[in-house]
Amino acid sequence: MDHNSIRNAIVGTAASALAFGALLIQTLKSKKQITHCVGALDGTHVRASVPLSIQGRFRSRKGGTTQNVLAAITFDLKFAYVLAGWEGSAHDSRVLTDALRRPRGFNIPEGKYYLADAGYGIRNGIISPYRGVRYHLKEFSDHRPENAKELFNLRHSSLRTTVERVFGILKKRFRVLDAEPFWDFQTQVDVVLACTIIHNHIMGVDPNDLINEGLYEEFESNLIVSTLTAREEREEAIEWAAKRDEIAEAMWSEYMARNINLF
């Protein structure tokens, strides 16, 4: 393959990804059953300095000592919630469970939901992609989605990249997050939170600044607070899996109607 062919392939793949993302955002605005998606969440690791006696708990899969930071981010690149301070070895789903169960923790308006990767599982207010189905954008570069689950995963992936983009912006703007910290651990946690708040403020003042984010939203009513038994949590997971199926089928019907002549 010559240089021009490679360049055209890259441009074509990028254009396809952007087109799918734009299409989903349009769908989110126009389809009643999908407008309840308010953002995406994920975790990122920030370097941590802790006493030798507890370094094992803070050691991440990549070997360094880190704190696992959970963030919920809206599609206009703003932090809606941040939980910092968990050990680097902690599983993402455990951090999310803690965030949901805290008295003043991560509150999701009733009937709304966030997109998350498969590691968080599907639960009340959290919708993850289908397992065992194509997901990453590059997997669709040469082949269109062939069923409702693949289309859902493609659009889920396209929107969830918002989180990765914001984490990249945050760490590029605040190089201190990648530096070896020299403060006590509580200050290290506070520094992460301060960076996200400043980042949001900059977005509010100058949304055109590409290196950006808004202020924390506090919901006063209709909030989901996790006080459920294990059985109730299983029942809710089934309910939200059915909701995901409903969204996927609605997407597929609209997609097929629009592209019927392409198949």
Side-chain angles (χ1 to χ4, degrees):
M1 183 178 291
D2 60 28
H3 178 74
N4 288 335
S5 297
I6 295 174
R7 182 187 60 187
N8 291 338
I10 293 173
V11 171
T13 300
S16 297
L18 290 172
F20 274 118
L23 176 61
L24 180 51
I25 291 174
Q26 180 181 359
T27 302
L28 286 169
K29 293 179 179 178
S30 62
K31 296 293 184 179
K32 181 178 179 181
Q33 61 265 49
I34 306 176
T35 53
H36 300 305
C37 180
V38 291
L41 64 87
D42 204 351
T44 190
H45 287 260
V46 175
R47 293 182 68 175
S49 179
V50 295
L52 183 61
S53 59
I54 60 172
Q55 283 185 3
R57 289 163 32 202
F58 283 83
R59 202 166 299 284
S60 68
R61 286 176 296 178
K62 294 184 178 181
T65 54
T66 65
Q67 52 173 307
N68 190 346
V69 179
L70 171 71
I73 294 169
T74 57
F75 295 125
D76 56 355
L77 307 183
K78 298 179 180 181
F79 286 101
Y81 177 81
V82 178
L83 175 60
W86 265 90
E87 301 97 323
S89 63
H91 193 280
D92 288 342
S93 64
R94 184 182 176 194
V95 181
L96 175 59
T97 297
D98 176 48
L100 291 169
R101 290 179 175 173
R102 291 180 174 225
R104 293 177 58 81
F106 182 31
N107 291 318
I108 306 173
E110 186 174 359
K112 306 294 185 180
Y113 62 88
Y114 283 83
L115 303 178
D117 69 29
Y120 290 100
I122 191 163
R123 60 175 86 190
N124 198 8
I126 305 294
I127 292 186
S128 56
Y130 289 99
R131 289 183 177 272
V133 178
R134 283 190 294 169
Y135 181 70
H136 297 289
L137 296 178
K138 63 182 179 181
E139 297 180 78
F140 293 92
S141 60
D142 297 325
H143 303 284
R144 292 175 178 271
E146 299 177 354
N147 53 55
K149 291 183 178 180
E150 287 194 351
L151 180 62
F152 178 87
N153 274 14
L154 171 60
R155 293 181 172 178
H156 187 290
S157 176
S158 180
L159 273 185
R160 209 182 63 79
T161 56
T162 300
V163 179
E164 297 172 3
R165 179 185 176 192
V166 172
F167 285 152
I169 291 171
L170 185 72
K171 292 182 178 180
K172 183 176 182 180
R173 172 178 284 128
F174 301 104
R175 298 293 187 179
V176 65
L177 297 177
D178 279 331
E180 182 70 28
F182 55 86
W183 313 284
D184 62 83
F185 186 68
Q186 184 55 57
T187 301
Q188 295 173 47
V189 173
D190 292 341
V191 165
V192 173
L193 299 178
C195 288
T196 61
I197 292 171
I198 296 171
H199 180 78
N200 275 4
H201 178 68
I202 295 172
M203 177 61 89
V205 172
D206 183 10
N208 294 320
D209 178 17
L210 297 182
I211 253 191
N212 222 338
E213 306 256 75
L215 292 165
Y216 287 89
E217 295 180 352
E218 300 245 349
F219 301 97
E220 299 297 333
S221 61
N222 297 324
L223 299 177
I224 297 171
V225 179
S226 181
T227 57
L228 306 176
T229 65
R231 179 178 178 179
E232 289 171 331
E233 287 181 349
R234 288 194 297 271
E235 291 174 349
E236 281 203 339
I238 293 173
E239 176 186 346
W240 279 85
K243 187 184 295 288
R244 177 177 62 186
D245 290 342
E246 179 184 343
I247 294 170
E249 289 299 333
M251 282 183 176
W252 184 247
S253 295
E254 188 272 342
Y255 177 80
M256 289 297 291
R258 193 179 64 254
N259 296 286
I260 189 67
N261 295 326
L262 299 179
F263 291 89

